[in-house]
Amino acid sequence: AEVVPDLVQLDDLVAAAQEVMTTGLPRVDLRLSGRTRGAPDEVRHWLVDLFPVNEADVALGVVLRDVTAERRAEASALQ
């Protein structure tokens, strides 16, 4: 919540992280949207991959991809 304070699906992200830690299986392409401190008037979109890190007992790897431009292009193409 520090990096993306207004993350719309924060509960979804927390649930996905708990699922990965419980099952040991990755979650791929979780869609999230929110606002950042750097651009508070703009909704951003991300795809998030979560995966267990096997070298530690309690570790979670996260890859976050900003797909805002792609989502905007998709929306524009539909108009």
Side-chain angles (χ1 to χ4, degrees):
E2 286 293 317
V3 175
V4 184
D6 293 323
L7 188 61
V8 175
Q9 300 96 346
L10 183 59
D11 292 339
D12 293 343
L13 180 59
V14 170
Q18 290 173 337
E19 178 184 324
V20 170
M21 295 303 294
T22 300
T23 66
L25 299 173
R27 285 286 307 267
V28 179
D29 292 340
L30 178 65
R31 290 180 174 229
L32 300 176
S33 299
R35 300 177 190 277
T36 65
R37 290 186 181 150
D41 297 330
E42 179 181 9
V43 176
R44 308 291 301 180
H45 304 280
W46 300 273
L47 287 179
V48 181
D49 297 339
L50 303 159
F51 53 93
V53 178
N54 295 327
E55 290 80 26
D57 289 335
V58 183
L60 182 71
V62 179
V63 176
L64 185 76
R65 294 170 297 199
D66 187 335
V67 294
T68 303
E70 292 89 339
R71 294 280 299 272
R72 287 184 185 149
E74 290 170 3
S76 180
L78 294 174
Q79 293 181 358

